[in-house]
Amino acid sequence: MSLKALYLWFIFLGFYHLSVAAAKVRHFKWDVQYMYRTPDCLEHAVMGINGQFPGPTIRAQAGDTLHIELTNKLSTEGVVIHWHGIRQLGTPWADGTASISQCAINPGETFHYRYKVDRPGTYFYHGHYGMQRSAGLYGSLIVDLPEGQKEPFHYDGELNLLLSDWWHKSAHDQELGLSSNPLRWIGEPQSLLINGRGQFNCSMAAGFGNTTLPQCKFRGNEECAPQILHVLPNKTYRLRIASTTALASLNLAIGNHKMVVVEADGNNVQPLAVDKIDIYSGESYSVLITTDQDPKKNYWVSVGVIGREPKTPQGLTILHYQTTTASKLPTSPPPITPRWNDYARGKAFAGKVLALMGTPQPPKYANRRVILLNTQNKINGFTKWAINNVSLTLPSTPYLGSLKFGLKTAFDQKSPPENFSPEYDIMSPPANPNSKTGNGVYMFKLNTVVDVILQNANSLSANVSEIHPWHLHGHDFWVLGYGDGKFSAGDEKKFNLKNPPLKNTAVIFPYGWTALRFKADNPGVWAFHCHIEPHLHMGMGVIFAEGVQYVRRIPEEALTCGLTAKMFLNREHN
């Protein structure tokens, strides 16, 4: 070894030992339980953690290991928690997906999630069993750079916004309605929550004439009182924004303040100056704001519904300049939310989010292409969502254990369809709406480069095509592009291979397509699904598996149900 090589090796070892020394194991002991809270000024049963709603914020540094000791204090239902955006490299059993990566945690039982947060970013966690996200089981997960490293952008302070929607029907009532014949649709949410707080029976902006609700009068200690964002003048703040909504697509704006988008789903992007930002369920962003407005005033932070005809009032809080009083209301009305069906504007925003220079570029070619047609269908009279005419129903044995131990009767061994009929008319309701259920798996050889084309279509109703934000577990993907109508081979020419953003959640617009590319390089079994909670509940998802033979020992506590439980019992008795 040359002297120069030896010198570089010592430098590397120094950095390695420094990073190892800085990394920590962070322990958390959590109890999941129902409790009474007033998230929108009306009392409801809410699912929370350690008596908190939303759940506790996790803060860690890249390289740390998180150890969450989760006890199910629910008396009659199981629970799991998904760590949204964390890739679970080497720990696929900790992904927190019932029937996919693990068994649901039974009442009274404790499960140990142990995994590494390998890169910085804005993430969150939420329930992934039944519709427990709709019941309030969610919280923020923020991963900082290791000490001594700097972001490629400057800021003086940081604020955190976790966005959600809220119904006055319980999650169980919602589930029953979605599983009924005829369908009992849950309707639009009653409130939008910012950090778990919203207002249903009053408005903070009643004085501006855009509502018939009375003016909210808060002392400040109410559970539904807004969590005010305190800032100093002439500073730059990083706002970390994540959406864990069950249904609503949102647009966020801050009165008189521009935003500069710098991060999307844990990946840095080219700085993008905007007046408003669209954020779909499952997405997260960081934006920078500069507090350069009149320091004697306060300003609205508003969140409104897009993508569906809005029947839910804006969610509001206040950007408070600490040079004035926090109780002083803004003097201007809240920012106007864009027209809900202005999809051209939404596509323009999505297309401007581009990777920062230095971000890994996609491979030039894919080894395999899967085209997934999203349709609304009927199965024995029940309304379902389907992918290539298959509505996903999860098995009783988690896929990860089934594939690891070769249990071939645990799920359908026939591969799901990788395309749909070229004659299918995406612009009209399905000529034959009847579908079927299935739980087959898309199997990829390890390190295969996969293109996924998400194809939107008309629903069962005439002239209706809905927005669907799709989330991939265990990976990031490159968003290669969006298009209108039915995808065709010639559309490949529109792919952005130069600087496509790396994300884990991407939207398909009505009657359009979205092209994604990812590398199947993370051994495990991974959900890929619409992040709208009712749509997933009604079957809108698929399962990807890759390199399961390389998964190291899976903790038995993850597989103590179904056929894997019987396998463990038989082994103990033999």
Side-chain angles (χ1 to χ4, degrees), residues 103 401 405 407 553-574:
C103 303
F405 299 111
L407 305 176
R553 181 183 173 272
I554 304 168
E556 288 189 4
E557 65 173 346
L559 302 175
T560 52
C561 62
L563 297 180
T564 42
K566 293 177 182 177
M567 182 188 75
F568 294 145
L569 283 171
N570 290 337
R571 190 173 66 194
E572 288 174 8
H573 290 306
N574 290 336

Side-chain angles (χ1 to χ4, degrees), residues 123-157:
Y123 309 107
F124 59 100
Y125 60 85
H126 60 81
H128 215 292
Y129 182 62
M131 292 182 66
Q132 291 178 344
R133 179 157 53 97
S134 295
L137 185 54
Y138 45 74
S140 294
L141 198 172
I142 295 170
V143 183
D144 295 307
L145 281 165
E147 287 183 27
Q149 295 186 26
K150 291 185 177 180
E151 297 280 10
F153 44 85
H154 165 79
Y155 56 99
D156 303 299

Side-chain angles (χ1 to χ4, degrees), residues 66-124:
L66 303 186
H67 182 182
I68 298 100
E69 186 180 335
L70 186 77
T71 299
N72 181 1
K73 292 291 184 73
L74 311 172
S75 56
T76 60
E77 59 189 296
V79 72
V80 296
I81 289 185
H82 168 56
W83 316 94
H84 188 108
I86 306 302
R87 293 177 295 182
Q88 300 295 347
L89 301 174
T91 53
W93 51 267
D95 190 45
T97 47
S99 296
I100 301 170
S101 63
Q102 68 170 108
C103 303
I105 307 162
N106 288 324
E109 290 186 348
T110 297
F111 185 87
H112 295 262
Y113 289 103
R114 190 180 176 97
Y115 58 89
K116 183 177 284 190
V117 287
D118 63 305
R119 64 203 175 130
T122 304
Y123 309 107
F124 59 100

Side-chain angles (χ1 to χ4, degrees), residues 37-363:
R37 290 292 184 271
T38 56
D40 66 352
C41 301
L42 296 183
E43 187 175 74
H44 304 283
V46 172
M47 193 175 283
I49 297 170
N50 293 352
Q52 296 183 45
F53 166 76
T57 296
I58 291 178
R59 192 113 202 184
Q61 288 185 352
D64 288 350
T65 295
L66 303 186
H67 182 182
I68 298 100
E69 186 180 335
L70 186 77
T71 299
N72 181 1
K73 292 291 184 73
L74 311 172
S75 56
T76 60
E77 59 189 296
V79 72
V80 296
I81 289 185
H82 168 56
W83 316 94
H84 188 108
I86 306 302
R87 293 177 295 182
Q88 300 295 347
L89 301 174
T91 53
W93 51 267
D95 190 45
T97 47
S99 296
I100 301 170
S101 63
Q102 68 170 108
C103 303
I105 307 162
N106 288 324
E109 290 186 348
T110 297
F111 185 87
H112 295 262
Y113 289 103
R114 190 180 176 97
Y115 58 89
K116 183 177 284 190
V117 287
D118 63 305
R119 64 203 175 130
T122 304
Y123 309 107
F124 59 100
Y125 60 85
H126 60 81
H128 215 292
Y129 182 62
M131 292 182 66
Q132 291 178 344
R133 179 157 53 97
S134 295
L137 185 54
Y138 45 74
S140 294
L141 198 172
I142 295 170
V143 183
D144 295 307
L145 281 165
E147 287 183 27
Q149 295 186 26
K150 291 185 177 180
E151 297 280 10
F153 44 85
H154 165 79
Y155 56 99
D156 303 299
E158 189 174 305
L159 302 162
N160 191 35
L161 298 177
L162 185 64
L163 311 178
S164 53
D165 41 15
W166 188 253
W167 282 261
H168 294 166
K169 278 186 177 181
S170 73
H172 296 127
D173 199 355
Q174 294 181 40
E175 280 186 39
L176 179 59
L178 295 170
S179 304
S180 296
N181 183 8
L183 173 76
R184 296 191 183 188
W185 175 242
I186 60 175
E188 304 304 309
Q190 276 66 64
S191 307
L192 299 178
L193 308 183
I194 301 175
N195 292 337
R197 297 162 180 249
Q199 298 81 42
F200 172 72
N201 52 9
C202 68
S203 171
M204 292 201 300
F208 295 101
N210 57 355
T211 176
T212 58
L213 292 171
Q215 181 70 41
C216 295
K217 295 179 181 178
F218 293 122
R219 297 185 304 274
N221 59 349
E222 296 90 348
E223 290 176 350
C224 61
Q227 194 174 82
I228 292 173
L229 309 180
H230 304 288
V231 296
L232 292 169
N234 300 311
K235 300 288 184 183
T236 298
Y237 288 86
R238 178 182 190 170
L239 270 65
R240 295 181 181 267
I241 310 164
S243 175
T244 184
T245 55
L247 176 66
S249 303
L250 302 174
N251 180 272
L252 181 142
I254 303 173
N256 286 35
H257 290 73
K258 278 209 177 274
M259 296 177 280
V260 179
V261 182
V262 292
E263 177 215 348
D265 291 358
N267 295 283
N268 292 328
V269 297
Q270 294 180 20
L272 173 64
V274 293
D275 295 316
K276 307 170 186 286
I277 182 172
D278 294 345
I279 182 164
Y280 300 93
S281 178
E283 289 189 314
S284 63
Y285 287 97
S286 283
V287 302
L288 303 179
I289 64 165
T290 301
T291 52
D292 54 3
Q293 298 301 300
D294 187 344
K296 299 186 183 70
K297 294 182 178 181
N298 292 326
Y299 301 87
W300 293 115
V301 178
S302 73
V303 178
V305 173
I306 57 171
R308 304 179 65 85
E309 188 171 357
K311 298 176 182 176
T312 310
Q314 283 182 323
L316 296 172
T317 189
I318 291 173
L319 186 73
H320 165 228
Y321 276 60
Q322 291 177 283
T323 42
T324 188
T325 58
S327 59
K328 183 189 290 186
L329 289 174
T331 56
S332 301
I336 297 172
T337 301
R339 185 164 47 88
W340 70 273
N341 57 355
D342 187 355
Y343 298 119
R345 186 205 58 80
K347 292 172 193 174
F349 170 76
K352 291 176 185 174
V353 178
L354 300 171
L356 189 67
M357 186 179 295
T359 302
Q361 290 184 302

Side-chain angles (χ1 to χ4, degrees), residues 357-409:
M357 186 179 295
T359 302
Q361 290 184 302
K364 288 187 177 181
Y365 305 101
N367 308 118
R368 189 165 164 188
R369 173 172 290 167
V370 178
I371 301 179
L372 302 177
L373 175 69
N374 295 238
T375 56
Q376 195 177 47
N377 295 81
K378 292 280 188 178
I379 299 179
N380 297 325
F382 293 86
T383 303
K384 299 290 182 181
W385 287 96
I387 304 302
N388 293 347
N389 212 42
V390 179
S391 184
L392 179 65
T393 54
L394 295 173
S396 57
T397 304
Y399 289 103
L400 186 62
S402 301
L403 287 166
K404 178 68 175 175
F405 299 111
L407 305 176
K408 294 188 177 182
T409 60

